[in-house]
Amino acid sequence: MRLAKIRHISLFIILSFILSACTIGNHNAVERKLFNENNLNNWRQVGTAIWKVSERQISVADPKADGYLVTKEKYSNFKLSLEFWVDEKVNSGIFIRCSDPDRITPLSCYEMNIWDQHPKQEYRTGSIVTLVSPPLAQVKTVNKWNKYEITAAQNNILVTVNGIVTARLDDTKHSSGYVALQSANKGSVRFRNIILEVL
């Protein structure tokens, strides 16, 4: 009886270990590094901005240019995390679930703004433009590296900047689409460590 119990417990431990390993493996399988730190092979360039890669970062050659980096694939439910650096003049943003990869706007996507000095402060960094504005908290991001985390799960979107919740949204307008990074006519913006985890 005692030996049977020991065997049963041992089998349970082995099965638990196997299930844990499978879970970890599956978790890693759905995590995608959208920027490989060497080139822009996972992206399309839309607009006049010329994007470049240097020192494992993405930036634009001319800060006055206007354009987007758009993923080649669509995504529905995911957690997107990335780091960004901006100066005080920048007008930038992150767009998700964009329906048309050639026409990136707050009407065809959800836009998380990057613009501390926006003339309309309700649309400053951390807001979801036209939908969650002003942001739930004001986070200063100029002249330093910052972290955006955007979780899109079914109808719910949660946004944090540097770990601080800036927006929550329950909306059904955009269920799937492309991810885009913006450079809008002025200021310097850089991106790095762009990782998307499919949920």
Side-chain angles (χ1 to χ4, degrees):
M1 185 73 173
R2 187 173 180 183
L3 182 60
K5 279 186 175 181
I6 292 172
R7 286 176 178 171
H8 180 75
I9 292 170
S10 299
L11 182 60
F12 176 80
I13 292 171
I14 292 169
L15 288 173
S16 297
F17 178 81
I18 291 171
L19 287 172
S20 297
C22 289
T23 301
I24 291 169
N26 289 337
H27 178 77
N28 290 336
V30 297
E31 188 174 272
R32 303 178 185 181
K33 201 168 186 179
L34 295 184
F35 172 45
N36 64 18
E37 300 181 345
N38 296 311
N39 55 55
L40 299 173
N41 290 349
N42 295 327
W43 303 81
R44 293 177 58 239
Q45 300 193 39
V46 177
T48 59
I50 304 299
W51 299 81
K52 63 179 183 177
V53 175
S54 177
E55 298 180 349
R56 298 182 178 180
Q57 302 168 22
I58 299 172
S59 60
V60 287
D62 181 1
K64 296 180 181 179
D66 187 8
Y68 303 88
L69 269 185
V70 185
T71 58
K72 294 180 178 179
E73 295 185 36
K74 289 183 176 182
Y75 301 97
S76 298
N77 300 306
F78 56 85
K79 180 177 180 180
L80 174 67
S81 65
L82 60 79
E83 296 177 4
F84 66 95
W85 185 99
V86 291
D87 65 14
E88 65 280 354
K89 297 179 181 178
V90 82
N91 177 5
S92 182
I94 304 163
F95 294 73
I96 66 169
R97 291 182 173 175
C98 300
S99 56
D100 185 348
D102 296 310
R103 187 173 178 271
I104 307 298
T105 77
L107 300 179
S108 60
C109 319
Y110 295 116
E111 179 192 1
M112 275 51 67
N113 221 351
I114 302 176
W115 192 358
D116 285 14
Q117 306 301 325
H118 199 295
K120 294 183 178 180
Q121 278 291 285
E122 63 266 32
Y123 296 148
R124 64 173 285 125
T125 304
S127 65
I128 303 179
V129 176
T130 75
L131 295 171
V132 181
S133 50
L136 300 178
Q138 288 196 6
V139 183
K140 295 181 180 179
T141 64
V142 171
N143 293 325
K144 64 179 182 177
W145 283 103
N146 306 273
K147 187 171 186 178
Y148 241 127
E149 290 187 325
I150 302 164
T151 303
Q154 304 301 332
N155 300 336
N156 299 302
I157 296 176
L158 175 67
V159 180
T160 68
V161 180
N162 296 338
I164 300 170
V165 175
T166 60
R168 290 189 182 93
L169 177 65
D170 184 355
D171 188 75
T172 60
K173 188 174 182 181
H174 309 296
S175 60
S176 179
Y178 302 90
V179 174
L181 308 178
Q182 180 189 35
S183 175
N185 292 317
K186 60 181 181 179
S188 296
V189 59
R190 289 180 269 160
F191 296 100
R192 69 182 184 187
N193 297 329
I194 307 170
I195 298 174
L196 185 144
E197 182 181 350
V198 177
L199 301 179

